């Protein structure tokens, strides 16, 4: 999560909301990819930290299935990212702050653990939650 927070700080430089993500290898020992929110920087509406990190991890592994991998992100994934997490077959999602307005991993929806889906990653929430949340609060207060 410390690495994901470092990534989140990088998003601000491009004028983006500070959210950062990291993908860990199946054995948990290697960082496969990192990513931060790049919507403003790239003009890509899908360039959320999670999607950026998942794409890079898949490139690194040479395939789209990220079976066994863990995605760590500073903010609860939205519906798009929750969908991407299910599609990429990651085993675990770890997030910091809850997103009561758009969260799709326990707050507003719980897409990643919907029993109708045949792949449901484990969810661990609240890791360094205060730090992850205050990064966002500070960002929006400064705007
Ligand atoms: Zn998202």
């Amino acid at each position: 999560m410390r690495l994901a927070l470092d990534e989140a700080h990088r998003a601000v430089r491009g004028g983006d909301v500070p959210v950062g993500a990291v993908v860990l290898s199946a054995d948990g020992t290697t960082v496969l990819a990192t990513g931060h929110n790049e919507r403003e920087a790239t003009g890509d509406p899908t360039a959320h930290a999670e999607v950026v990190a998942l794409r890079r991890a898949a490139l690194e592994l040479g395939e789209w299935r990220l079976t066994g991998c863990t995605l760590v992100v500073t903010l609860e994934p939205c519906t798009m990212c929750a969908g991407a997490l299910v599609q990429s077959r990651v085993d675990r999602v770890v997030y910091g702050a809850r997103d009561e307005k758009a969260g799709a991993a326990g707050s507003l929806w719980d897409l990643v653990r919907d029993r109708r889906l045949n792949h449901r990653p484990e969810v661990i929430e609240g890791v360094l939650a205060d730090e992850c949340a205050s990064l966002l609060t500070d960002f929006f207060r400064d705007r």
Side-chain angles (χ1 to χ4, degrees):
M1 188 58 82
R2 290 270 168 229
L3 244 180
L5 277 163
D6 288 347
E7 273 297 311
H9 283 285
R10 290 196 182 97
V12 182
R13 279 178 231 150
D16 277 286
V17 176
V19 180
V22 172
V23 179
L24 300 172
S25 63
D27 62 7
T29 61
T30 312
V31 173
L32 289 177
T34 59
H36 56 262
N37 196 2
E38 295 182 348
R39 278 192 306 182
E40 299 295 338
T42 63
D44 175 357
T46 70
H48 285 190
E50 298 95 313
V51 170
V52 171
L54 288 173
R55 282 189 179 135
R56 287 181 184 154
L59 260 177
E60 181 68 25
L61 284 179
E63 69 158 314
W64 62 268
R65 283 182 202 83
L66 303 181
T67 310
C69 296
T70 298
L71 179 126
V72 182
V73 60
T74 56
L75 179 67
E76 182 179 357
C78 70
T79 49
M80 173 183 74
C81 293
L85 287 161
V86 171
Q87 292 300 325
S88 68
R89 310 282 196 271
V90 297
D91 274 26
R92 202 167 300 101
V93 180
V94 179
Y95 69 84
R98 279 174 80 95
D99 186 351
E100 301 291 349
K101 288 180 186 160
S107 293
L108 210 50
W109 295 279
D110 199 351
L111 200 148
V112 288
R113 286 174 290 194
D114 190 312
R115 291 186 178 278
R116 292 166 292 185
L117 296 171
N118 59 15
H119 179 79
R120 295 188 297 271
E122 176 191 0
V123 178
I124 298 163
E125 67 166 270
V127 178
L128 299 178
D130 292 344
E131 209 168 318
C132 293
S134 64
L135 196 59
L136 289 160
T137 313
D138 294 350
F139 177 80
F140 286 112
R141 192 185 40 230
D142 293 346
R143 297 220 125 187

